[in-house]
Amino acid sequence: MGNLLLSNMSLKIIEITSQQTLSIRHQVMWPTKPLDYVKLPNDNEGLHYGLVLCNELISVISLFINDGEAQFRKFATLENCQGKGYGSLLLNEIMQIAANQSLTRIWCNARQNKTDFYTKFGMTITEKTYVKGGIDFVVMERVF
Ligand SMILES: CC(C)(COP(=O)(O)OP(=O)(O)OC[C@H]1O[C@@H](n2cnc3c(N)ncnc32)[C@H](O)[C@@H]1OP(=O)(O)O)[C@@H](O)C(=O)NCCC(=O)NCCS
């Protein structure tokens, strides 16, 4: 596994490969589809991070940097570990990484019903909205 970014004994945030994100993406987001369905065409251009609890990878997120801006995608925590603050730890780390790299903005496509979650990380709603697969999305951003 890659560089250690944060650690407190049983809990670590590390850089991982895109390959290592796939199992959690698949289990959490699209369990009924083939594994290939959760691969992104530009996965090899992304930075991938994972939260490891007691040697088990339980939460993943992928960061794609273009023109000084970062988009995070495929943020997922194993279902039995959700709601315990692990995803927030990981997202805070990603915010820190983006800020340290002198990026101008970090953004994501958020489900409309999850905007309150991202607001906690200093992100705000933009005017860009769309519907995909019957789900309402809005672009959320944090400008540094
Ligand atoms: C979105 C996701 C990655 C968040 O990961 P997580 O590990 O559950 O994140 P957290 O536990 O930090 O936060 C989740 C919720 O639990 C709450 N929470 C955090 N720590 C908590 C604690 N100790 N006790 C109770 N609740 C807590 C958070 O406030 C948050 O609440 P909210 O959703 O009402 O805002 C996860 O829910 C997931 O995998 N969802 C399915 C995939 C998905 O929708 N991904 C987003 C696509 S961009």
Side-chain angles (χ1 to χ4, degrees):
M1 289 206 183
N3 290 336
L4 182 65
L5 300 169
L6 180 151
S7 168
N8 85 347
M9 308 283 278
S10 59
L11 186 152
K12 288 182 266 191
I13 291 179
I14 56 170
E15 279 185 62
I16 56 175
T17 63
S18 63
Q19 198 65 28
Q20 289 173 295
T21 67
L22 298 182
S23 171
I24 294 184
R25 287 184 186 176
H26 187 235
Q27 287 177 63
V28 176
M29 294 173 155
W30 296 103
T32 60
K33 306 270 189 194
L35 187 69
D36 274 0
Y37 192 81
V38 298
K39 291 181 182 166
L40 294 170
N42 60 342
D43 258 340
N44 60 353
E45 294 159 20
L47 298 168
H48 308 275
Y49 300 94
L51 188 145
V52 176
L53 183 67
C54 300
N55 292 323
E56 187 194 4
L57 187 61
I58 63 156
S59 187
V60 296
I61 194 166
S62 299
L63 195 63
F64 297 89
I65 300 175
N66 277 304
D67 297 330
E69 299 188 345
Q71 177 188 14
F72 66 83
R73 298 189 67 183
K74 301 285 181 207
F75 179 30
T77 300
L78 285 180
E79 207 168 303
N80 60 347
C81 297
Q82 289 177 10
K84 296 176 178 165
Y86 299 124
S88 298
L89 281 175
L90 191 53
L91 189 51
N92 271 324
E93 195 62 31
I94 266 55
M95 290 288 169
Q96 205 57 51
I97 288 166
N100 290 346
Q101 293 203 11
S102 307
L103 300 176
T104 52
R105 185 172 90 113
I106 187 161
W107 64 279
C108 73
N109 294 314
R111 290 177 182 223
Q112 287 275 13
N113 63 0
K114 288 303 284 181
T115 55
D116 286 351
F117 176 70
Y118 293 115
T119 302
K120 295 176 199 165
F121 300 88
M123 301 188 79
T124 53
I125 289 165
T126 70
E127 288 173 359
K128 285 188 195 155
T129 61
Y130 63 96
V131 181
K132 190 177 160 195
I135 299 168
D136 291 319
F137 286 88
V138 60
V139 173
M140 292 191 71
E141 65 178 9
R142 177 170 163 182
V143 177
F144 294 110

